[in-house]
Every structure is written in C-alpha cells, then in structure tokens.
Amino acid sequence: MATNKASIANVYYNDQLAGTLQKDGRIYTFIYDDAYRIADGRPISITMPLRAEPYKSDILFPVFTNMLSEGANKKMQCRMLKIDENDYFRLLLATTRQDSIGPITVKETL
C-alpha cells in the first residue's frame, strides 16, 4: 500500500535522539538533531558525518538498509507484518524500534 504522505521517524543512537529520518514521496532526508550535533555526538555512519545540512537521497541510506533482514527472514517478516518487500521504510519502522543490533533504533513519530 503506497502513500504520498510524508513519514517521519526519530533516529536514536544509544537511546539519545540523534536526528530525524523522513520519506516524502521518493525522497529520503536525514537531519541531525541540533542538540545531538552540538554536543558532539557520534555520527550514525561514517558516510554521514555530523553536519547541520540535511542528507538527501532517492534511496534509503545504507546505514538504515543494513539494519533490515534479508532473504527468508525478510520474506517472513513482510508476510507477518503485511508490508511490501520493497517498502524498506515501512519495514525499517516496523522492525527497528527496539532490540536492534547495534546502537541505532528508529521510531516513527506520530
């Protein structure tokens, strides 16, 4: 089920708000939270160093794509959650809210 409505999620690094991730149509945007950046927090990825300017891409940033399951596990998750296998953003929101491997969690804002 595709939608043109923008979706926004908070990205946490070790339970500290690091920034926001947004999908608007086919464009993904990540921007670091000012307080996190000014406090000299850790970058969420070596390819996304701390900066005030937003990161924009027409694909989901690799740091988030790498958090997703692959193969049979992905198929099973998508079937159970009723999410299209190509909808990486919805799958990210559904599976990385807690207990993710590594310091990053992603939680949809309401």
Side-chain angles (χ1 to χ4, degrees):
M1 180 166 91
T3 178
N4 289 333
K5 182 180 164 193
S7 296
I8 301 173
N10 288 328
V11 177
Y12 296 87
Y13 191 98
N14 286 332
D15 296 323
Q16 183 178 5
L17 179 64
T20 57
L21 176 65
Q22 178 176 335
K23 180 181 182 198
D24 192 359
R26 294 181 183 213
I27 302 297
Y28 296 92
T29 304
F30 175 80
I31 187 163
Y32 280 105
D33 179 74
D34 285 339
Y36 182 82
R37 185 177 46 79
I38 292 168
D40 210 19
R42 294 195 54 158
I44 61 166
S45 168
I46 61 170
T47 61
M48 298 173 77
L50 295 173
R51 70 179 196 190
E53 300 80 22
Y55 288 90
K56 293 190 177 279
S57 177
D58 58 354
I59 60 169
L60 185 59
F61 301 99
V63 65
F64 301 114
T65 304
N66 290 336
M67 295 174 70
L68 300 175
S69 295
E70 297 176 334
N73 287 338
K74 179 181 173 186
K75 286 182 185 296
M76 180 184 65
Q77 283 180 331
C78 290
R79 193 169 42 248
M80 288 175 55
L81 297 169
K82 298 180 175 137
I83 296 174
D84 184 302
E85 286 186 44
N86 296 312
D87 192 344
Y88 292 170
F89 193 78
R90 284 190 59 219
L91 189 57
L92 181 77
L93 297 179
T95 60
T96 60
R97 287 180 282 219
Q98 59 190 9
D99 297 332
S100 61
I101 296 174
I104 298 173
T105 53
V106 181
K107 299 176 184 178
E108 185 172 19
T109 60
L110 300 176

